[in-house]
């Protein structure tokens, strides 16, 4: 491999690492949002149940929806960084096997496409059940508590 190819490979690998780091950071943020939201939800449920105030359960539902939307927003950005990472990975693979390679359409910048409604609704597919199923179960638990 010529010296310029080694330099290109090193730059691409560094860019790939940056994208991976940004995706990981967003994943951690999403989990922190979820943990915070579920903790506040649990506190509201405990308060509503111990004080027999059913209107608190409605507040818990609103909180749950807001936290869910916040997590989905962060997850959309995370998946955009994963897409960029995969584009760069493809370039690295092409370089390593000696195929003619070219940079991704947007280069190796951290600029990502703005998430849209297609990305949003794409998070509701069965493959992504770990994102939405816990919220569905918590919503079901709230509905049951409200009915009691």
């Amino acid at each position: 491999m010529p010296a310029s190819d080694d330099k290109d490979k090193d730059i691409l690998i560094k860019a790939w690492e940056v994208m991976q780091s940004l995706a990981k950071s967003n994943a951690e943020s999403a989990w922190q949002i979820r943990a915070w939201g579920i903790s506040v939800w649990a506190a509201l449920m405990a308060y509503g149940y111990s004080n027999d105030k059913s209107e608190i359960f409605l507040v818990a539902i609103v909180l749950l929806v807001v936290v869910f939307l916040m997590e989905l927003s962060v997850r959309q950005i995370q998946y955009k960084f994963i897409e960029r990472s995969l584009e760069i990975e493809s370039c690295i693979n092409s370089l390593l096997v000696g195929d003619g390679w070219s940079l991704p359409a947007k280069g190796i910048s951290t600029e990502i496409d703005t998430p849209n409604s297609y990305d949003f609704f794409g998070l509701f597919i069965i493959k992504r059940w770990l994102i939405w199923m816990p919220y569905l179960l918590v919503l079901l638990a709230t509905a049951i508590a409200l009915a009691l």
Side-chain angles (χ1 to χ4, degrees):
M1 193 178 281
S4 66
D5 282 352
D6 282 341
K7 184 178 177 184
D8 292 341
K9 178 185 64 126
D10 291 343
I11 291 170
L12 286 171
I13 289 173
K14 183 62 179 170
W16 178 82
E17 289 172 351
V18 168
M19 293 301 163
Q20 290 289 312
S21 174
L22 289 168
K24 179 183 176 189
S25 174
N26 278 282
E28 290 170 353
S29 294
W31 279 107
Q32 288 173 351
I33 289 168
R34 180 181 292 193
W36 174 85
I38 299 297
S39 297
V40 174
W41 170 85
L44 287 170
M45 293 297 290
Y47 177 79
Y49 186 76
S50 65
N51 292 307
D52 199 28
K53 295 189 178 211
S54 60
E55 60 273 4
I56 297 297
F57 298 144
L58 297 175
V59 172
I61 290 172
V62 171
L63 170 84
L64 192 63
V65 169
V66 170
V67 168
F68 180 58
L69 293 174
M70 287 172 57
E71 181 180 348
L72 288 181
S73 298
V74 173
R75 293 283 181 188
Q76 286 177 321
I77 295 169
Q78 174 195 5
Y79 291 135
K80 289 292 184 180
F81 280 121
I82 291 171
E83 286 176 18
R84 294 285 294 139
S85 174
L86 290 173
E87 291 172 5
I88 293 170
E89 184 178 323
S90 176
C91 292
I92 294 169
N93 290 336
S94 294
L95 185 62
L96 290 175
V97 298
D99 289 346
W101 71 280
S102 61
L103 289 174
K106 290 191 175 186
I108 56 172
S109 75
T110 57
E111 179 183 353
I112 57 173
D113 294 330
T114 303
N116 54 36
S117 58
Y118 178 78
D119 299 322
F120 177 80
F121 291 112
L123 295 173
F124 290 97
I125 62 175
I126 297 296
K127 180 180 175 182
R128 305 268 188 241
W129 69 273
L130 285 174
I131 294 174
W132 52 263
M133 182 64 80
Y135 288 99
L136 187 61
L137 294 174
V138 170
L139 184 64
L140 182 63
T142 307
I144 290 170
L146 192 57
L148 297 177

